[in-house]
């Protein structure tokens, strides 16, 4: 993941109230399960790289612990990669379709979006 994309997410996310994000703004008004199913249906390769937003109304230390634990659980479940984004309730993960679809039932997830690389200049 490029540094610019990470910083763009951090800047964007820090300016949006948590309640707006939890109501689906990041997922274009769709539920996390709907967003996950759409991502899975549109996969063109065996793996997809996604950004997962989990619930994060606690302080930064608690967010760090929760995202680290969530990333670890994804890796144990078979994710190729799963890393928290420091200070944010976000985890970047590379998942197979079955692993992605299993996320639809996780109540901690607020949204899942595809991690799209920036276009080359």
């Amino acid at each position: 993941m490029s540094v610019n994309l990470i910083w763009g997410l951090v800047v964007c996310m820090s300016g949006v109230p948590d309640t707006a994000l939890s109501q689906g703004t990041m997922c274009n008004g769709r539920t996390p399960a709907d967003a996950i199913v759409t991502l899975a249906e549109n996969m063109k390769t065996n793996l997809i790289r996604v950004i997962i937003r989990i619930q994060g109304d606690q302080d930064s230390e608690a967010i760090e612990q929760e995202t680290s634990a969530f990333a670890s659980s994804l890796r144990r479940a078979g994710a190729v990669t799963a890393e928290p984004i420091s200070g944010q309730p976000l985890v970047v993960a590379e998942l197979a379709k079955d692993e992605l679809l299993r996320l639809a039932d996780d109540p901690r997830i607020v949204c899942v979006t595809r991690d799209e690389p920036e276009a080359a200049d």
Side-chain angles (χ1 to χ4, degrees), residues 63-108:
I63 289 171
E64 292 282 339
Q65 290 174 352
E66 183 65 28
T67 55
S68 291
F70 185 77
S72 292
S73 70
L74 288 175
R75 288 190 299 271
R76 284 191 306 275
V80 174
T81 61
E83 298 297 327
I85 296 178
S86 182
Q88 298 294 316
L90 303 170
V91 173
V92 177
E94 194 169 3
L95 308 165
K97 188 174 193 172
D98 290 342
E99 296 159 351
L100 177 64
L101 289 170
R102 277 193 290 266
L103 296 178
D105 296 327
D106 193 321
R108 298 172 291 182

Side-chain angles (χ1 to χ4, degrees), residues 50-66:
V50 294
I51 298 174
I52 303 164
R53 178 170 173 76
I54 61 173
Q55 295 174 0
D57 355 349
Q58 55 277 52
D59 63 51
S60 61
E61 186 175 319
I63 289 171
E64 292 282 339
Q65 290 174 352
E66 183 65 28

